[in-house]
Amino acid sequence: MQATITLEYPNQKTAQAVAKAISPDNLKTPHGLQIQTHKENNKVLTEITYEGKLSTFTATIDDLLFCASTAEKTLKTIKQI
């Protein structure tokens, strides 16, 4: 199974911050799971490849989106301070 998650932001600085926030997840993955995140201009692209259960694959995507959402909320809070 493969998926590419594309998140678009208003500027490159925000995209870079989100990419850095979710990239540490790239290091620890179950056997057969590959995750690569990178920034292209104002977009964060995450490519996920997995050879295993669909439930693990969808949980990985859910976790990625949760982490990105948390990073976005944190950036929004910081901008308000």
Side-chain angles (χ1 to χ4, degrees), residues 5-52:
I5 309 297
T6 304
L7 303 171
E8 190 168 349
Y9 295 96
N11 55 60
Q12 290 187 33
K13 188 175 180 180
T14 301
Q16 182 66 34
V18 173
K20 284 184 177 183
I22 64 175
S23 289
D25 286 346
N26 296 349
L27 302 176
K28 298 178 184 178
T29 59
H31 179 72
L33 177 65
Q34 293 181 325
I35 304 172
Q36 292 197 325
T37 299
H38 64 279
K39 180 190 80 71
E40 287 184 12
N41 298 315
N42 64 329
K43 295 179 182 178
V44 176
L45 302 163
T46 301
E47 297 174 17
I48 303 169
T49 304
Y50 185 56
E51 296 178 14

